[in-house]
Amino acid sequence: MIRAAQLPGYSWDTTGRVEASVQALIGGRLAELPARSATVAARLREVTGDCRLVAVYLRPDSPDAVVGLCERLASTKNARERARLQHEIGRRRFARPGTAEVSLTGDLGQVLTAAGDRTRAYVPDPGHRDMIGALLDDFGTGFSPFVESQHEVPGPNARLRQGIVKSWRLPDGTRVISKRANPAKPGRFAREQVAYRAIASRLAGGITFGRGRRLELAPLLATIRDGASGHVYAVWRWVPGESAESMLLVPGEHTLLLRDYRDLMDALLDRGIRWGDLSPRNILVHDGRHYLVDFEKTQVPGDDTPVPHADRGAYCRGQIGVEELGVLCPEAQVRACLHGYLDPDTWDLNAPGRVPFPPRPEVTAILAGRGVTDPDLGTYNRTDRQIWQVRSPDLDPVTGLLRYPGLVNFRVEHYLSCAGLTDADDYDRKTTEILIAGRLHGCFDDALAAVADAVDEAERQFVVAEVAELLAGNDTGPVTAPRAVIRALVDRIDVLVTARQDPGTFRSACTTLGKEGR
């Protein structure tokens, strides 16, 4: 599935506060240990990419056998052997052989609808049955704690993901990626597993598209329901590659990458597949191969009739245009990539009548917040243009480099969700309204800075809190949210969204709050 990012440090935090705080936390524990422990800890952090094994090594409750394995891993130069040792450390900590009743099945439905304390696994490839069976028998009731303790896969705009997607190793050192069903999104995981099977059947092992590119799915090893915890996981074999999102966020020429994106989209639509989350972050690119991940919102009809041209335009007016490509690429690039499907110059801003395509949730939320629950097409189009204009990348007035205002919304909702706020999605809406007001009232830079600085601080404190909890022994549960900074973020957004009705008050608030973070 997704490649685990290597983060030996916290260079993304230009303030240096995260690195300093993490060093202080680790240093406090190292002060109680022999001098050589500092060398081992530094090496573990370097070779594993985060602080999880450092915490295991430094914690006073770690058994001598686990400490010894950590020291062996730190001194081992062979990458394959280090990978095998990573699995062995987890096995020593969590395995409870023979404590779980395990059954393997070729019927996905038996796993998705199962209940009780039996561990069930759907294994699509019979050649993997023995390996998956042995893994689950070995870990027994410790399988979920083992997975939850593993390296989290961050995204370029979310340094902490609250444990949904993990990277770990099989006994032979093979890297896999697991995704746990998210209880906050009921039904999505099951739909994704069904969609994966349908797409795998439709693509029949992979297809060639566009400029001789190869389109494949990340190989699914198993879908597992752990009877002890009730958690359900999908386990994919790790595939090489960099996400198209990460590539688009690097300054440079992206014409060929976007051409491949369009060709890939057409290849799916030509086979009747409407991949609902055709986000660049869900496309891994490596040596001419494009691997797809994340199928929660995908529709795969019973036949492979191509999606009609008119429906493709409606499809691109969904998540694809503004919410996915639109936050990563300037509007001219989006127009070129989706030429023939998406042209905002043809949107009638005064059209009467109902919206003739499925409305995008983000537009619906903005309109509902304004008291409009049944918009005509013209109102919808005007609102969609407003959103696109404030979410599209533009030039930072200080650095002269591209900045990405639309990603602020994602981060606001993400970290408020991590903090357990049930209305986190409404703060996505409020953030968009703040940016629209900033553009309207001539203070966009200050409005953006006021929100971005607050969410930056929330992210920093979340990451430091995670390290503190790892060192304290919590490496299998969610991170306790830094409540004060989360409250400060919520209060700031509420102040700004309330003030936006008065231009003078809004500009003053944006200027004051924007300067606080600089």
Side-chain angles (χ1 to χ4, degrees):
M1 200 180 170
I2 303 171
R3 185 179 61 164
Q6 295 300 303
L7 298 172
Y10 299 98
S11 58
W12 50 267
D13 173 36
T14 57
T15 71
R17 295 203 295 271
V18 172
E19 180 67 38
S21 297
V22 169
Q23 290 286 11
L25 289 168
I26 293 174
R29 176 61 185 144
L30 286 172
E32 306 169 5
L33 298 172
R36 66 180 297 272
S37 298
T39 302
V40 174
R43 179 61 177 159
L44 283 172
R45 188 176 171 191
E46 178 184 347
V47 299
T48 64
D50 76 347
C51 290
R52 289 186 177 273
L53 281 187
V54 177
V56 170
Y57 174 65
L58 295 179
R59 276 163 37 187
D61 62 342
S62 287
D64 290 343
V66 170
V67 171
L69 285 169
C70 289
E71 291 175 342
R72 279 180 57 192
L73 190 154
S75 63
T76 299
K77 295 183 179 180
N78 182 275
R80 188 72 178 182
E81 178 63 11
R82 287 201 305 267
R84 193 192 66 77
L85 286 169
Q86 281 185 262
H87 175 87
E88 181 62 15
I89 289 168
R91 193 189 70 80
R92 290 292 186 98
R93 297 182 64 210
F94 298 107
R96 299 175 179 84
T99 59
E101 184 180 0
V102 177
S103 63
L104 306 182
T105 177
D107 184 349
L108 176 63
Q110 288 186 12
V111 174
L112 297 178
T113 61
D117 57 6
R118 174 182 292 185
T119 293
R120 299 177 184 269
Y122 161 68
V123 186
D125 184 343
H128 296 143
R129 290 175 65 90
D130 289 345
M131 180 266 291
I132 295 296
L135 177 76
L136 296 176
D137 284 334
D138 190 22
F139 274 95
T141 54
F143 179 71
S144 275
F146 163 71
V147 174
E148 298 303 321
S149 74
Q150 297 302 306
H151 185 112
E152 192 162 11
V153 179
N157 305 295
R159 310 295 173 180
L160 182 134
R161 294 277 297 278
Q162 288 295 58
I164 297 297
V165 183
K166 298 280 190 174
S167 169
W168 43 281
R169 303 284 181 166
L170 296 174
D172 65 357
T174 298
R175 180 182 289 176
V176 297
I177 299 293
S178 62
K179 180 178 182 179
R180 170 167 47 82
N182 187 346
K185 300 177 179 180
R188 281 198 178 184
F189 182 88
R191 289 195 296 272
E192 179 178 28
Q193 300 310 299
V194 172
Y196 177 93
R197 284 209 310 174
I199 296 172
S201 175
R202 190 71 53 86
L203 298 185
I207 59 172
T208 299
F209 72 96
R211 301 181 300 131
R213 302 310 197 197
R214 187 73 179 165
L215 174 60
E216 299 181 14
L217 303 187
L220 178 69
L221 298 179
T223 304
I224 300 167
R225 182 187 182 275
D226 178 67
S229 67
H231 291 323
V232 185
Y233 302 91
V235 181
W236 284 270
R237 187 182 299 277
W238 177 87
V239 294
E242 183 176 2
S243 75
E245 178 183 47
S246 296
M247 298 168 72
L248 288 170
L249 289 172
V250 174
E253 175 56 57
H254 299 133
T255 300
L256 293 180
L257 177 60
L258 290 171
R259 176 180 168 185
D260 289 339
Y261 178 94
R262 168 63 180 267
D263 289 341
L264 184 155
M265 181 181 75
D266 278 332
L268 294 173
L269 294 172
D270 287 346
R271 290 162 176 79
I273 300 170
R274 303 184 199 218
W275 185 18
D277 202 1
L278 187 62
S279 167
R281 68 177 171 275
N282 295 327
I283 303 170
L284 303 183
V285 183
H286 177 71
D287 195 23
R289 292 179 180 266
H290 290 61
Y291 297 95
L292 306 186
V293 300
D294 198 335
F295 311 97
E296 291 180 355
K297 305 173 187 175
T298 298
Q299 300 174 30
V300 188
D303 60 48
D304 58 359
T305 302
V307 175
H309 186 276
D311 290 349
R312 298 186 187 205
Y315 172 71
C316 289
R317 285 213 65 178
Q319 297 297 107
I320 308 306
V322 177
E323 295 301 318
E324 299 298 350
L325 281 188
V327 301
L328 298 173
C329 304
E331 183 174 319
Q333 292 183 3
V334 177
R335 286 171 175 254
C337 178
L338 301 180
H339 176 69
Y341 296 156
L342 185 69
D343 182 1
D345 290 340
T346 65
W347 298 359
D348 187 341
L349 303 184
N350 298 296
R354 302 181 67 86
V355 179
F357 48 81
R360 198 168 77 254
E362 290 77 10
V363 182
T364 300
I366 289 289
L367 288 169
R370 297 174 181 178
V372 181
T373 57
D374 188 22
D376 58 37
L377 179 58
T379 300
Y380 184 95
N381 285 338
R382 291 195 303 273
T383 307
D384 206 1
R385 281 302 279 152
Q386 279 188 316
I387 294 172
W388 193 348
Q389 287 165 356
V390 299
R391 292 172 70 87
S392 182
D394 64 3
L395 293 180
D396 188 303
V398 176
T399 66
L401 302 175
L402 274 181
R403 64 180 178 184
Y404 302 88
L407 296 179
V408 173
N409 296 68
F410 169 80
R411 298 173 69 232
V412 166
E413 180 178 357
H414 176 74
Y415 285 109
L416 294 185
S417 295
C418 288
L421 272 69
T422 56
D423 58 348
D425 58 341
D426 196 42
Y427 281 86
D428 177 355
R429 175 191 67 83
K430 291 179 179 181
T431 299
T432 300
E433 287 285 30
I434 290 167
L435 297 182
I436 291 172
R439 188 74 77 193
L440 180 64
H441 301 321
C443 56
F444 183 79
D445 295 334
D446 284 336
L448 176 60
V451 178
D453 291 341
V455 76
D456 285 347
E457 184 59 23
E459 179 174 68
R460 283 191 288 265
Q461 292 199 26
F462 247 123
V463 170
V464 173
E466 180 186 38
V467 176
E469 293 197 8
L470 289 172
L471 289 166
N474 175 24
D475 59 355
T476 60
V479 177
T480 301
R483 293 295 170 187
V485 73
I486 291 297
R487 174 47 54 191
L489 172 60
V490 167
D491 289 347
R492 177 172 292 201
I493 292 174
D494 283 338
V495 165
L496 291 171
V497 82
T498 300
R500 78 185 193 283
Q501 302 297 345
D502 181 87
T505 302
F506 183 76
R507 283 193 291 267
S508 177
C510 288
T511 301
T512 300
L513 295 173
K515 287 180 178 177
E516 286 182 6
R518 297 174 187 170

